[in-house]
Structures are given as structure tokens and as C-alpha cells.
Amino acid sequence: SVARQGPGQIGPPKKQEQEDKVASQRDEDKWTEEEVSTVSGFDDRWDPREQPEYQIIFKQQVTAEDVFLGMSRKDPSTACCEDMLIKISLPDTDILDITLDIKEKFLDLQTPKYKLGLHLPHPVDNKNGKACFNSEKEALEVTLTMKRTLDFINFA
């Protein structure tokens, strides 16, 4: 009977260990809280308010050395941008009716007529931002600084 044993039969039987491992995986959560965004209020598909038109524009801080001499490694891609400008068109809206909440990766805008839940393409600094409502154009402009890791492009 020793000749019929292979490498899989060495040691104690492993059947019970495998069953315990599968059972513990079933009990654990499949997603952590960081992986699931908990943004309340945007699963409401029956909300009659419409979504306003918006634009996301990326901005760079460049100097003459960057433009004419190419002394930095910046290029026109979004990887080299420092700020994100979000222009939201809100016709027939008063500035006092606007509720704006900004998280690191989510923008929540609500008015009596409009509702916008926008997942941002890059993490932003939600503590330092600027919002300006232009009553002539009936548009809200939100400028946010993006959180970037320091790499060979983004030095500061």
C-alpha cells in the first residue's frame, strides 16, 4: 500500500480544512466599505427632477518654460492637470435654491428642478474648492483641486 501513495497523500487528510475555508469565505463580506461607495439618494429612479447638462474641464498650471521651452515633462493629457472645473447649466434656478455637497469622488447637486449625482473621474480635495454661480449664464462653476500622487510628472 506504500507504493500506491503519491505526494497528495502525505500528511493528515485535508478535507475538513478545505470545508472550513469555504465556509469562512461565505461568511466574509465580498466587498469592503472602501470598495462600495455609499452615496445616499441617488438610487431613486422615480425622482421627477431632471439631470442638468454639465461639462468636466481639466486645467493645468503652466508657465512660459512649459509652453515654449518644454522644460517640464507636462503634456496636454489629464495626467498632468491639477484642477477640475465642472460647469453645470441650471436654467431658471435661484442661487439660494442650490444645495451642493462634494465628497472625494462624488458631487451631489440638488435644486427644486434639477438633481445631479456625478461620480468624479479623479479624487479631489473636497475641503478646498470654489463654486461660483453666474446668474447671466445661469450656470454653476465648481473648481476642485485633484489629489495626485507625486510622480515624475506631478512634482508639487
Side-chain angles (χ1 to χ4, degrees):
S1 86
V2 174
R4 294 187 339 180
Q5 287 187 350
Q9 283 80 30
I10 298 174
K14 297 180 182 177
K15 186 174 186 179
Q16 184 63 30
E17 291 177 14
Q18 290 175 352
E19 289 175 3
D20 291 342
K21 187 176 180 180
V22 170
S24 67
Q25 284 179 347
R26 286 187 200 133
D27 294 339
E28 293 178 11
D29 291 336
K30 300 296 179 192
W31 302 93
T32 63
E33 286 191 30
E34 293 84 29
E35 294 173 325
V36 178
S37 66
T38 55
V39 180
S40 61
F42 287 96
D43 292 334
D44 187 12
R45 296 182 183 144
W46 304 107
D47 193 348
R49 294 181 287 180
E50 59 185 274
Q51 178 176 320
E53 293 182 15
Y54 65 90
Q55 286 182 313
I56 299 177
I57 301 167
F58 295 97
K59 295 171 67 176
Q60 288 186 359
Q61 298 172 358
V62 294
T63 61
E65 290 89 12
D66 299 325
V67 176
F68 297 111
L69 302 175
M71 294 181 74
S72 71
R73 296 180 182 195
K74 289 188 176 185
D75 58 25
S77 70
T78 60
C80 298
C81 295
E82 291 89 10
D83 296 320
M84 182 185 315
L85 173 66
I86 304 165
K87 293 183 179 182
I88 306 167
S89 176
L90 299 168
D92 303 325
T93 302
D94 188 30
I95 189 169
L96 299 175
D97 294 335
I98 298 173
T99 303
L100 181 65
D101 185 27
I102 299 172
K103 305 288 186 208
E104 185 175 318
K105 294 184 178 182
F106 195 79
L107 180 138
D108 175 14
L109 178 126
Q110 296 187 19
T111 68
K113 189 175 178 181
Y114 299 103
K115 181 177 182 178
L116 176 64
L118 180 63
H119 291 275
L120 301 173
H122 298 286
V124 297
D125 182 10
N126 58 346
K127 303 292 183 204
N128 300 319
K130 179 181 157 187
C132 178
F133 185 72
N134 188 340
S135 57
E136 293 175 2
K137 295 181 181 178
E138 296 181 325
L140 178 69
E141 295 183 357
V142 181
T143 304
L144 302 167
T145 303
M146 293 189 287
K147 288 184 178 178
R148 294 290 191 175
T149 56
L150 298 178
D151 57 7
F152 67 94
I153 295 174
N154 303 304
F155 296 121

